[in-house]
Structures are given as structure tokens and as C-alpha cells.
Amino acid sequence: MLPSQVVGAILLVGLGLAGGVLLCLAVGQAYWASTALRVQQQLQRGSDAKTVSGRRLYGLAAVWLGCSALVIGGEVFAVKAVWERYFAPLPLHRVIAYVSDQNGSNDIWLMDEYGRTRALTFNMANERQPRWSPDGQWLLFLSDQAGNDDIFVMNAEGTMKQALTQTPESEDWISWSPDGKAILFTRGRLTDNQLCILSVDVVRQVATGESCIFITEGKINKPSFSPDGRQIVFNLGHDGWFRLWIVGSDGTDAHPLDSAAQSGIASWSPDGKRIVYRRAADYNKPSDLQIISPDDGALRHVRHIEASQVQANWSPDGQRLYFTSDPSDPPLADMGRLGIVSADGSKLIWLDDGENWVYGQAQSWQIESWDEHNRIVYSHKEDGQYDLYLIGSDGSDRTPLTDTPANEFHAVFRPVLPLKQR
């Protein structure tokens, strides 16, 4: 049996020859039709029948040319179909938005399905935290063009950039609401931290209202909407100690979920019934992955990890957790490694050693770092720089996506559909 590429080549050559023959016939027929028309007109000049004969010949020529155009168009379509079937490169992955500093500052970049890259922002300001809207048409990001971080939005082509906030304070930890009509963020001020929701009209690229639902003297880290948009989980820090908190999206019923230990960044399960987070005795201590119920605070231990600041995220089916951790002092055995474990704590697999970074899932309704083919996009540090990699959830097919002298990070997949609609 011949290889598919050989079959495709034979078909393509055959179609090309057939197209050439048809084109020659078309040119020849057009020439003879034109000649016959001139002869007919000369023979019948002065006759009453010349108008009828001329119109008949013009009509026949038009019909023939139309049929020839259809045949040649069909030939082009057939060649295109063979090319796409046998020769066009297969998509490597979904579209990825990420940050790169290869132009001298942090810019938002786009990598298409075939690995081609282009910058979406071009300035000496620093942009970071790209976030896809639920429909995949818009990108949210932070930029310090005015000297502090403001919230910006642009379309997927990198045009129509517009600032949504212009304040003297810095905004941080941005994410979309599940319906795409609001943006969750924090605002740091000299006297306090605010947890705020910005209502937006994305099509008109304007903010239509702002509500700061929680104000504290502590530090708010990584707030995240629940999949139904009714609650927000976040970490609240006082004097270096962070606790896991939850609040209604209308600002009501703010309370700690776990006040007994140092808590790390949390992530909602896709069904909204569980929250995974890091629990430890202190910042630089080994971690326990814990799952807690947002309804009754019931705790379940997942697994102990010999690393500090472990940050876990869910798989799209809610059955597994993938995680990375920060370097610590003193060093710990599992720090920086990319791992995956079942939600019940079994089947631990180490996917990559060294220093790895998965951009945290802020949008619980949309798994940003794990695609529908069970592949994870992450940053891996080697020789002092970060590059993007893709790896299967079983540890197979580790594939570098970038190889530049710059740093690439904050990578997120463009959504195909919101997770709840799959």
C-alpha cells in the first residue's frame, strides 16, 4: 500500500495535468468561437438575419465560457481539497496567547495552530496576564503604559486596544466572569486592598460600572469566580500569613474557609463543588494539597508534596490535578517540578523536572492550560530563560513551542467553547 503522501502527490499531478488540458481546450475553443463569429458576421453582413445569427453566436459563446469557468473552478477546488487532505500541516494545538520579552519589554504575543507567532502589542510598556473572553474573541491584559498597571482589552487580532481603567493605583489579578459581562480584579492602594468587579460592554470597549465588594488592610491574592459566577474565592494575607476566604459576588457573606493554616492560591473545580488549594505550616514549608467544600468547609487531604507554594489546577473533567511549585530556601525535593495526580491523591506522575511554571487557572469555568487532547502548556526554565512547552498528561510527547533568547510565559489556550457547554 502506497503512503498517503505518495497517493496525494499522484492525485495532485493528475489533477494538474487535467487542469492544464482543460485550460488548453478552453483557450482553443474560445479562439475558434471568436473566429467563427467574425466569419459569420462577414458572410451575413447586410442581411436581415445577421442580428439573429450574431446574438445566437454570442449566446453560445457565453454559455460555453460559463461552463468552462465551472469546470476550471471545480478543478481548483479539487486541487485544494487534495492539498489540504495530504499536504497541509496538521494543527499542533489551539491558539495560545502568551507574554514574551523578546522586543525589550513584556508584550502580549499570539501563537497560531501551526506554531507561527506574532506580537499583538508593540511598545516599551510592560503587558502581562492575557485572559481570553468566554467566546475567544477578546483578550484582557494589564499594561503599565501610564506608569502603573491598568486593565486593557483588545480583539484577537491585536487591534482595537482600549483602556478600561485609568487610575493612579495598580490593578492586578484580572479575570472574566463566566458570562463575559464583567471583570474581576484587585486594586492596591496605600491604605488598603480592594476586590472589585468591573461591568463591561466588550463590543463598545467601555466600562459601564464598577463595584468594589471587599476592602481590607491585608493583601488580596488571585481572586476567582465560581463557575456559576455567584461566589469568589481568594487568599487574604495579614503579616505574611495568608488564609483562604470566600465572598458572594455581590459582596455578601465574606468569611474564611480555612483559618487554621497558611493557605496558597486556590482553584475551583469545573463543577463548582470543590476548591483545591495549598495548605502548609508556613510560606517555605512543605505543602499539602487539600480539597475543601465551599458550602460546608469539609476538608479532604489529597497528597503531601515536598515543595513550597504548590499551586494546583484542575483537569477539564475534574478528575485530576496538575501543579507546580516555587523554589524555596532551603531547597525542597519536589520544588519547581510539574506534576499531575488524581483528585483522590493516587497516581502521581512527574511530567517535567527543573523549574516549571503553569500560569494559574483564574477562570474556573475555562481550563486555560489543559486542552481537549489532554495536553498541558507550561513554561520551562533552562539556561536562565523560560520557553513554552506542550506535554501530554501522561508525560508523553514533550514538545518545545518556543526557542528564543527571550522569556516566554503566562501562556493560555484560546477557548473553543466555555467548559460548561462542552
Side-chain angles (χ1 to χ4, degrees):
M1 186 174 180
L2 292 174
S4 61
Q5 295 284 357
V6 175
V7 173
I10 293 172
L11 286 174
L12 201 61
V13 171
L15 288 169
L17 291 174
V21 170
L22 286 173
L23 185 61
C24 290
L25 288 174
V27 172
Q29 289 288 345
Y31 173 77
W32 288 114
S34 174
T35 302
L37 179 61
R38 289 198 303 271
V39 171
Q40 184 73 9
Q41 288 177 338
Q42 288 174 0
L43 290 174
Q44 294 184 346
R45 184 165 295 155
S47 169
D48 292 337
K50 75 174 183 179
T51 302
V52 175
S53 299
R55 287 176 179 174
R56 183 179 298 170
L57 283 173
Y58 279 125
L60 288 173
V63 170
W64 181 87
L65 287 173
C67 291
S68 299
L70 287 175
V71 171
I72 294 172
E75 173 75 12
V76 171
F77 180 81
V79 171
K80 180 176 181 291
V82 170
W83 172 263
E84 291 179 348
R85 170 66 177 82
Y86 293 101
F87 296 99
L90 294 175
L92 299 173
H93 47 68
R94 274 196 267 145
V95 173
I96 295 172
Y98 63 100
V99 176
S100 175
D101 62 6
Q102 62 181 284
N103 288 337
S105 62
N106 291 342
D107 285 305
I108 308 297
W109 284 64
L110 200 70
M111 181 181 293
D112 71 11
E113 299 95 325
Y114 305 107
R116 296 170 296 202
T117 63
R118 61 188 177 93
L120 299 183
T121 60
F122 310 85
N123 54 64
M124 292 312 296
N126 286 296
E127 281 81 33
R128 58 191 180 93
Q129 292 188 26
R131 294 291 187 195
W132 290 104
S133 60
D135 60 7
Q137 300 303 306
W138 302 90
L139 272 168
L140 200 65
F141 63 99
L142 293 173
S143 178
D144 64 0
Q145 294 181 26
N148 56 274
D149 284 325
D150 285 305
I151 303 172
F152 282 71
V153 69
M154 63 181 168
N155 64 13
E157 299 301 316
T159 59
M160 299 175 65
K161 301 179 183 71
Q162 182 64 46
L164 297 178
T165 63
Q166 294 177 306
T167 66
E169 300 88 13
S170 287
E171 281 75 47
D172 203 355
W173 297 120
I174 52 174
S175 61
W176 295 88
S177 63
D179 61 7
K181 296 179 179 179
I183 294 165
L184 181 65
F185 66 97
T186 64
R187 175 178 290 141
R189 304 196 302 182
L190 291 176
T191 57
D192 55 44
N193 258 223
Q194 298 179 332
L195 179 61
C196 303
I197 296 176
L198 190 71
S199 300
V200 292
D201 183 335
V202 180
V203 176
R204 292 170 52 220
Q205 292 186 291
V206 294
T208 58
E210 180 181 301
S211 174
C212 292
I213 62 172
F214 186 81
I215 300 174
T216 176
E217 294 179 358
K219 172 70 173 177
I220 300 173
N221 271 348
K222 203 85 178 263
S224 174
F225 275 115
S226 60
D228 62 10
R230 296 180 179 178
Q231 293 177 296
I232 298 165
V233 70
F234 60 96
N235 289 94
L236 178 58
H238 286 281
D239 300 324
W241 283 84
F242 281 85
R243 302 287 187 268
L244 189 66
W245 277 62
I246 194 167
V247 64
S249 56
D250 58 358
T252 61
D253 194 25
H255 63 276
L257 273 179
D258 184 356
S259 59
Q262 179 90 290
S263 299
I265 290 170
S267 174
W268 292 89
S269 63
D271 61 8
K273 296 179 179 180
R274 297 163 293 169
I275 296 170
V276 66
Y277 68 106
R278 178 248 186 181
R279 197 172 195 253
D282 205 345
Y283 186 89
N284 271 328
K285 298 296 184 182
S287 304
D288 288 306
L289 285 181
Q290 298 278 140
I291 289 177
I292 193 168
S293 167
D295 295 328
D296 57 16
L299 279 170
R300 181 165 63 82
H301 178 261
V302 178
R303 195 169 185 109
H304 179 75
I305 306 295
E306 279 293 320
S308 69
Q309 296 306 305
V310 173
Q311 182 179 333
N313 302 284
W314 295 87
S315 63
D317 61 7
Q319 299 300 309
R320 290 179 285 177
L321 301 163
Y322 60 108
F323 59 90
T324 57
S325 62
D326 291 345
S328 59
D329 185 18
L332 295 168
D334 297 331
M335 69 181 191
R337 302 173 76 185
L338 175 62
I340 187 169
V341 66
S342 297
D344 61 6
S346 64
K347 300 177 182 177
L348 174 64
I349 302 173
W350 294 113
L351 303 181
D352 202 346
D353 293 328
E355 191 171 335
N356 301 286
W357 186 10
V358 175
Y359 189 28
Q361 172 205 347
Q363 302 175 166
S364 54
W365 43 267
Q366 173 188 312
I367 308 299
E368 298 172 308
S369 304
W370 185 313
D371 72 2
E372 64 276 16
H373 301 296
N374 284 321
R375 296 175 300 186
I376 298 167
V377 62
Y378 66 103
S379 298
H380 174 79
K381 189 176 184 180
E382 196 163 335
D383 298 328
Q385 72 177 53
Y386 281 101
D387 281 304
L388 300 185
Y389 281 76
L390 199 66
I391 195 168
S393 61
D394 59 357
S396 63
D397 299 325
R398 180 178 182 268
T399 305
L401 298 180
T402 61
D403 184 15
T404 72
N407 290 293
E408 280 82 30
F409 50 95
H410 281 192
V412 284
F413 286 119
R414 183 179 187 177
V416 175
L417 282 175
L419 188 63
K420 62 183 179 182
Q421 295 182 14
R422 292 181 193 161

